[in-house]
Amino acid sequence: MTAALEAHSITKKYRGADGVEVVAVDAFSFAVAAGEIVGLLGPNGAGKTTSMQLALGLLELDSGEIRIFGGDPEELSARRRIGYAPDAPLFPKSLTGLQVLELHAELLKLPKARAAQMVEELGFSEPARRSCGTYSRGQAQRLGLALALIGEPDLVLLDEPSAGLDPAGVRAMRELLTRLKARGAAVLLNSHLLSEIERVCDRVLFIKAGRLLRTHEVHAQGGRRAEVRLANGPQVRERLLQKLPDGVLENGRFRIPVASEDVVPGLVRMLVEAGAEVLEVSLGGAELEELYLQIVEGRPQPAGEPRS
Amino acid sequence: MISWPVARATFRERGRSGLALALAAMLAVSSLRSPPGQAFQGFGQALLILFTLLLGAGLLADEIESGHAQLVLLRPLTRADWYGGRFAGAALVLLGGLVLAFACSAGWSLAHGNFSASELLVLPVAFLWSAAWLSVVVAVGAAARGWTNAGLVVVAGIGWAMLMGLTRLASPELGALMVTAGKYLGPQQPLPISQLEPIAYDLLWLFGAWLAGVLLLNRRELARRRT
């Protein structure tokens, strides 16, 4: 099956103000298939936004190739199927959010009513009637998201979509991504929220200085991890590791990959049967953070930690 | 060539600018006591060029630098369509201002019984001249940042005028040559209408600058750099 987005060895260099050449993206290759959410993770300046802009043709490639739905990204028919929400978008100050959405609906040859429908779906009715010049960052972000999704695109590129959103907005964002995936859209997501990436992404691409460091299959490799704080960890170490060999016991915390939160009660039962005194159980987040620190920041892997 | 949804949005956006409305009102008021043939000459001409510069200032850059142009250009339309839509939207505001001023002037003349039907030609000719200048300002904006496109056109005009003045002082013959050449360095004022050459020349500037602007925009990287 053809990937929705393929980047083959894309490279982009800038000349800085001091005349020194900076390699923003360095022979970076990746693909996003239909029904897949791929996350881009890396420090500031890693080349995540530049990679998205290259994929969309907003920047010219120095070398490499981009294919969208197997074809040239400049093809107008392909553009009908793309949605892009940039980080911190700005809109014409004298137009209302609804007018901006109506413009994009017209450009996509959709009925104007689709704009109002989108506004309703995203719970944006009140701000949509106001001038864009009055928007907070979060409201501009929501309008950007509405613009990205108005044409029901098959390929969606989201650059820091949760930045500036309130907790309800972040939750709505997560649900939206799940819906996009369910209807078979391909999503490339750039976010600094590791917990969000871990929850929604199928794959994570770790990049630094424009280079791909590692690809991490989130769910295939037990993307969720249970962390159990024990009162008597050292005393039950042998029994625990015998019963649950995938786990790691360190500093009184027992960590183990789990397929989903459904297995947590069973896990706690097993721990108790092995004689462990359970103080606290938490799920998710930690694994990706550890991986990020190891891969991107180069911190050493804790002893006994399985590599993914 | 022209995206009409973009043109409509641009018309709304530029037409609501307080400065543009103020200049259109000033142009209309200044036309009240002049017959249409003179309404867009002298002070009226200066106001019209100011109005044109204001409408063209940052017409492309405002959208590109805010990042909205990038979102629009990801839709199924070409850069030329977008450029044409932005230009057409601003030109429609310009036309609106001119129609208002012309109506004031023609109304005044009619009230005083000195309006002639031939003066109806003044409106399209004045529009052509100002639209040609708008086209030049927008074309410069395809490569310039912010509102510097209008500034660059003004600076170039002042610079040329100063150079002509100095040259005439030093060498009257060369100065006269520069005055003749200067007529061809931008759209020519066709009013009062006495010959067709300036009209044809303004048409050339209008479409020539348009083409140059599209070519420049096609070479421009559109991604908004993070600071």
Side-chain angles (χ1 to χ4, degrees):
Chain A
M1 195 173 117
T2 309
L5 169 63
E6 293 165 273
H8 299 288
S9 205
I10 57 172
T11 299
K12 180 70 185 174
K13 295 170 188 158
Y14 289 122
R15 198 162 290 281
D18 51 2
V20 177
E21 197 172 71
V22 179
V23 183
V25 177
D26 192 2
F28 182 27
S29 297
F30 64 94
V32 189
E36 185 184 36
I37 303 181
V38 174
L40 282 177
L41 263 185
N44 292 332
K48 306 183 294 291
T49 297
T50 306
S51 300
M52 280 195 172
Q53 291 171 337
L54 287 169
L56 293 164
L58 296 174
L59 288 172
E60 272 185 45
L61 289 165
D62 286 331
S63 63
E65 189 191 18
I66 297 280
R67 311 284 291 168
I68 289 185
F69 305 115
D72 185 343
E74 288 294 313
E75 272 177 30
L76 296 187
S77 58
R79 294 216 213 136
R80 235 176 263 282
R81 302 170 64 191
I82 299 174
Y84 170 54
D87 178 26
L90 295 168
F91 302 102
K93 288 179 183 164
S94 52
L95 298 184
T96 66
L98 189 60
Q99 284 170 336
V100 174
L101 276 165
E102 283 174 350
L103 164 66
H104 285 258
E106 275 190 87
L107 292 171
L108 286 164
K109 300 198 178 353
L110 299 169
K112 273 190 178 181
R114 173 73 183 135
Q117 186 192 345
M118 206 61 218
V119 158
E120 286 293 321
E121 274 178 30
L122 287 174
F124 195 63
S125 303
E126 189 277 317
R129 287 192 293 272
R130 282 195 277 118
S131 145
C132 295
T134 65
Y135 285 5
S136 66
R137 179 175 177 176
Q139 288 170 331
Q141 204 78 20
R142 276 192 190 219
L143 178 58
L145 207 57
L147 288 177
L149 302 177
I150 193 168
E152 299 201 325
D154 297 317
L155 170 64
V156 185
L157 291 92
L158 304 173
D159 195 357
E160 297 285 358
S162 310
L165 293 184
D166 53 28
V170 173
R171 190 191 173 97
M173 175 76 223
R174 196 186 311 138
E175 288 167 3
L176 192 81
L177 286 168
T178 312
R179 283 206 301 273
L180 281 171
K181 182 178 160 69
R183 77 163 172 78
V187 181
L188 182 63
L189 173 68
N190 172 17
S191 173
H192 279 114
L193 285 179
L194 296 180
S195 57
E196 287 306 307
I197 291 242
E198 191 158 41
R199 279 183 181 194
V200 298
C201 289
D202 299 296
R203 266 187 309 135
V204 178
L205 310 175
F206 290 94
I207 66 170
K208 188 177 181 181
R211 295 192 79 100
L212 177 66
L213 299 180
R214 194 187 297 182
T215 301
H216 174 65
E217 304 280 341
V218 179
H219 298 299
Q221 294 176 22
R224 308 207 72 179
R225 172 171 292 206
E227 184 171 299
V228 187
R229 193 154 69 88
L230 303 173
N232 59 343
Q235 290 93 313
V236 292
R237 169 184 287 273
E238 292 299 314
R239 267 178 288 162
L240 280 186
L241 294 178
Q242 209 171 13
K243 212 166 175 126
L244 297 158
D246 288 345
V248 175
L249 183 65
E250 200 179 52
N251 302 325
R253 287 170 190 273
F254 183 72
R255 290 196 298 268
I256 187 164
V258 291
S260 72
E261 62 188 10
D262 299 343
V263 303
V264 173
L267 170 70
V268 173
R269 239 187 338 267
M270 287 173 84
L271 290 171
V272 172
E273 281 167 13
E277 291 172 19
V278 176
L279 297 174
E280 185 187 347
V281 182
S282 57
L283 194 63
E287 190 198 27
L288 205 60
E289 189 175 316
E290 279 166 19
L291 265 177
Y292 179 86
L293 293 172
Q294 285 163 30
I295 297 169
V296 177
E297 304 292 331
R299 294 206 190 158
Q301 190 182 26
E305 193 76 0
R307 272 204 175 274
S308 43
Chain B
M1 282 288 276
I2 294 175
S3 162
W4 289 107
V6 171
R8 278 195 293 276
T10 307
F11 178 75
R12 271 193 208 129
E13 175 204 321
R14 293 273 146 171
R16 282 181 192 168
S17 147
L19 260 176
L21 288 174
L23 273 171
M26 281 172 73
L27 188 62
V29 170
S30 81
S31 312
L32 268 175
R33 286 176 172 270
S34 323
Q38 290 167 24
F40 306 115
Q41 294 179 56
F43 183 64
Q45 185 185 0
L47 278 178
L48 186 54
I49 197 77
L50 263 180
F51 188 40
T52 306
L53 283 168
L54 182 77
L55 290 174
L59 185 70
L60 306 179
D62 283 354
E63 284 274 287
I64 292 172
E65 287 163 20
S66 74
H68 186 235
Q70 289 80 334
L71 297 180
V72 171
L73 285 164
L74 287 174
R75 303 307 184 195
L77 81 164
T78 63
R79 289 187 183 198
D81 294 336
W82 178 74
Y83 182 101
R86 293 293 291 169
F87 174 69
L92 284 173
V93 179
L94 182 63
L95 181 62
L98 274 168
V99 166
L100 181 69
F102 181 82
C104 288
S105 170
W108 178 271
S109 296
L110 272 172
H112 290 81
N114 53 7
F115 182 77
S116 79
S118 65
E119 286 182 312
L120 284 171
L121 271 178
V122 169
L123 179 63
V125 168
F127 174 64
L128 174 64
W129 175 73
S130 46
W133 273 113
L134 180 66
S135 184
V136 171
V137 176
V138 178
V140 175
R145 286 179 185 279
W147 284 33
T148 54
N149 60 331
L152 284 168
V153 171
V154 171
V155 167
I158 293 172
W160 179 254
M162 284 174 67
L163 189 65
M164 272 197 309
L166 290 172
T167 311
R168 278 163 86 175
L169 283 177
S171 161
E173 284 165 14
L174 191 60
L177 207 68
M178 282 183 78
V179 171
T180 312
K183 278 172 60 183
Y184 298 94
L185 290 179
Q188 292 177 15
Q189 166 64 293
L191 293 171
I193 306 165
S194 55
Q195 48 187 339
L196 284 177
E197 188 204 340
I199 295 173
Y201 194 66
D202 287 355
L203 271 173
L204 195 69
W205 268 98
L206 178 93
F207 290 107
W210 188 329
L211 181 66
V214 170
L215 292 174
L216 281 171
L217 183 69
N218 275 333
R219 294 176 61 87
R220 184 164 175 174
E221 285 198 321
L222 288 176
R224 191 165 50 118
R225 288 276 201 97
R226 282 183 176 174
T227 49

